[in-house]
Amino acid sequence: MKKIVLLFGIFFCMFSSVFAVNHTDWNNKERWYWVVSTKESTMYVDKLNLQYDAATDTVIFYTLEVWPAEKTRQIAKSRINFTKNTYQDLSARTFKSDGTIKYWKTEKPYDIYPGTGAEQISYVVSNLVGRDEKHAEYDDMKNNHGHIAY
């Protein structure tokens, strides 16, 4: 009887830890900020990995796109240049339900067009990093040498 209880306990711990990793990583509202949904997919931005550089007016960030019907998820590392209004996917990993993982990398930025997912992501990321305030402060410091910001 003790062996059955012990085996059940081990099985339960293994199952719950696997479920917790899959569930927590992809559905953690403290980490993933909803951006946009379509009939096919939902896009999130990782709030914990936003790197804004006021000198270049760029941000590097991660997105998560989920396709529930296909049981597929993709995490991408991307860059937005706010001055040039461009979006660049730096790399991505696609995880399929059958266990396959596809990796790709690209280095070509493209223009952000109105009404697109890239524009929505740009807007959300800009607000999450406080881009307008940080860029204005950077410009003020750059233009007013010796000025001490309080």
Side-chain angles (χ1 to χ4, degrees), residues 52 56-59 80-86 122-123 125-126 129 131:
Y52 177 70
T56 60
D57 199 20
T58 61
V59 64
I80 292 175
N81 184 315
F82 294 106
T83 302
K84 295 179 180 178
N85 199 36
T86 59
S122 177
Y123 175 76
V125 168
S126 175
V129 298
R131 181 257 177 184

Side-chain angles (χ1 to χ4, degrees), residues 69-85:
E70 298 174 19
K71 297 181 182 171
T72 301
R73 295 176 175 90
Q74 177 177 283
I75 296 180
K77 182 178 183 180
S78 304
R79 176 186 298 128
I80 292 175
N81 184 315
F82 294 106
T83 302
K84 295 179 180 178
N85 199 36

Side-chain angles (χ1 to χ4, degrees), residues 3-142:
K3 288 183 182 179
I4 293 173
V5 170
L6 180 62
L7 286 174
F8 178 75
I10 291 171
F11 175 74
F12 178 76
C13 289
M14 287 173 43
F15 177 75
S16 62
S17 66
V18 168
F19 178 75
V21 168
N22 287 335
H23 181 72
T24 303
D25 286 349
W26 309 116
N27 295 309
N28 183 347
K29 288 183 171 64
E30 296 300 315
R31 170 170 226 142
W32 299 106
Y33 186 89
W34 176 84
V35 178
V36 65
S37 294
T38 66
K39 288 187 243 181
E40 293 83 26
S41 69
T42 300
M43 176 79 72
Y44 304 90
V45 169
D46 183 356
K47 296 187 290 186
L48 303 181
N49 287 297
L50 297 165
Q51 303 165 5
Y52 177 70
D53 181 353
T56 60
D57 199 20
T58 61
V59 64
I60 293 177
F61 60 98
Y62 290 87
T63 59
L64 167 66
E65 190 163 6
V66 180
W67 292 271
E70 298 174 19
K71 297 181 182 171
T72 301
R73 295 176 175 90
Q74 177 177 283
I75 296 180
K77 182 178 183 180
S78 304
R79 176 186 298 128
I80 292 175
N81 184 315
F82 294 106
T83 302
K84 295 179 180 178
N85 199 36
T86 59
Y87 191 104
Q88 182 179 14
D89 290 313
L90 302 172
S91 63
R93 284 191 168 81
T94 304
F95 303 89
K96 299 198 176 239
S97 61
D98 64 4
T100 59
I101 300 172
K102 179 182 175 187
Y103 175 79
W104 57 266
K105 181 178 179 180
T106 183
E107 297 182 9
K108 295 185 178 186
Y110 56 89
D111 293 332
I112 298 173
Y113 290 103
T116 62
E119 183 185 49
Q120 183 65 21
I121 293 168
S122 177
Y123 175 76
V124 167
V125 168
S126 175
N127 286 320
L128 287 174
V129 298
R131 181 257 177 184
D132 291 342
E133 297 82 19
K134 289 178 182 176
H135 193 63
E137 181 179 306
Y138 174 79
D139 282 345
D140 184 48
M141 290 180 68
K142 187 173 75 172

